[in-house]
Amino acid sequence: MRGYVLTIDPPDGLRRRSIASELADMPFGWEFVDGYRKGDPILDALYSPAKNLLLSKRSLSPGEIACYAGHRLIWQTIVERQDPHAIVFEDDAQITDRAAFDRAVQDVTSAPFDIVKLWDIKPKPVIARRRLGDTQIVVHKMIASGTGCYLISRDAAAKMLRRRSVFRAVDEDFSHAWEFGAQVWSVWPNPVTDIAAGSTIEAERISADRRRLRSLWGEALQVVKRLRHRSHLLKAQ
């Protein structure tokens, strides 16, 4: 298995040094992937404001678009290299339980899977559980925010790349997994968290939410999302 770390930190940056220390003795090879910065021309070509208005409950910040583009870059690398599966980190990830982390990576990759998150932000109640070896994986009432650390199969990476334009945040698209024909689970409890006291992207997201009050259309999208998520899970069991 290979690991990929998404970053825009300079070579001697604090985040790069922190995650490099975290991963120094991992039993798998890993590498940094330099992501995109706000204002990069590729982001204008990738983002669809029209689809965002129609299919998302809120607008995206420039940082969220850049972050999504960085994850897509990693998925493309996984597909091109024919990695059967890989583990993806954002550069503020911090492993809180190394033994549980090691077990989860071994247990999950020994079974067929699409996406399994090892880090969730404010997860909702659990509605489904599954045991893989010594690791428990779960599905929450709604897929939680956060893409700081997750395992992804090559097939799932290819499925995510079929969408040519971006109109939601990457973790929001994870929570619409049925649109990609993918299943998203989480390791419970999470063995990974973040070292950042509130990321820049999260601050931008909160600011965007305050500028744009959720409309009745946004509420309707949420209702459909909840229904589709539950139906998708039932079909997978």
Side-chain angles (χ1 to χ4, degrees):
M1 188 185 71
R2 199 191 313 261
Y4 297 93
V5 180
L6 179 61
T7 188
I8 58 171
D9 223 22
D12 61 344
L14 178 61
R15 288 193 176 195
R16 277 197 191 237
R17 288 186 280 117
S18 175
I19 192 67
S21 176
E22 288 282 324
L23 304 182
D25 61 346
M26 288 293 168
F28 52 81
W30 63 273
E31 62 192 73
F32 284 112
V33 175
D34 290 313
Y36 299 96
R37 295 181 179 275
K38 293 179 287 186
D40 193 303
I42 195 174
L43 304 182
D44 290 334
L46 183 63
Y47 181 55
S48 172
K51 289 183 178 179
N52 171 264
L53 185 63
L54 182 64
L55 298 171
S56 181
K57 65 183 181 182
R58 61 177 180 81
S59 57
L60 294 189
S61 70
E64 287 176 306
I65 302 168
C67 181
Y68 202 141
H71 282 272
R72 286 177 58 88
L73 183 61
I74 292 175
W75 302 338
Q76 187 65 50
T77 302
I78 292 168
V79 171
E80 290 175 353
R81 291 181 173 177
Q82 293 291 297
D83 293 333
H85 43 249
I87 186 164
V88 180
F89 300 87
E90 292 176 355
D91 62 6
D92 57 347
Q94 181 180 44
I95 298 169
T96 55
D97 188 332
R98 177 60 189 272
F101 175 88
D102 290 346
R103 286 196 304 272
V105 171
Q106 180 176 352
D107 291 339
V108 171
T109 56
S110 67
F113 73 97
D114 289 327
I115 298 169
V116 177
K117 299 176 64 184
L118 289 87
W119 172 16
D120 293 308
I121 299 174
K122 298 180 180 178
K124 302 296 184 184
V126 171
I127 60 173
R129 301 176 186 269
R130 182 179 298 174
R131 178 68 63 173
L132 296 177
D134 295 324
T135 299
Q136 181 176 208
I137 61 173
V138 303
V139 173
H140 298 284
K141 185 176 180 180
M142 298 293 284
I143 302 298
S145 300
T147 49
C149 182
Y150 58 90
L151 289 152
I152 186 168
S153 70
R154 181 179 64 235
D155 288 346
K159 289 175 182 177
M160 298 298 292
L161 287 168
R162 289 174 190 163
R163 175 163 289 164
R164 299 302 183 185
S165 60
V166 164
F167 51 89
R168 300 189 191 103
V170 60
D171 49 2
E172 269 289 295
D173 262 356
F174 275 14
S175 71
H176 289 75
W178 60 87
E179 295 179 353
F180 303 91
Q183 295 288 333
V184 180
W185 293 72
S186 293
V187 172
W188 181 262
N190 291 163
V192 180
T193 186
D194 68 309
I195 60 171
S199 69
T200 302
I201 289 177
E202 187 64 17
E204 288 181 350
R205 175 180 294 186
I206 293 170
S207 178
D209 285 344
R210 286 174 178 168
R211 288 196 304 269
R212 175 180 171 183
L213 296 177
R214 184 179 296 173
S215 64
L216 290 176
W217 179 242
E219 293 285 1
L221 289 175
Q222 285 297 96
V223 171
V224 172
K225 177 182 174 180
R226 285 192 289 269
L227 293 173
R228 291 293 303 275
H229 172 60
R230 190 59 183 264
S231 175
H232 176 63
L233 177 61
L234 290 173
K235 290 178 181 178
Q237 293 180 321

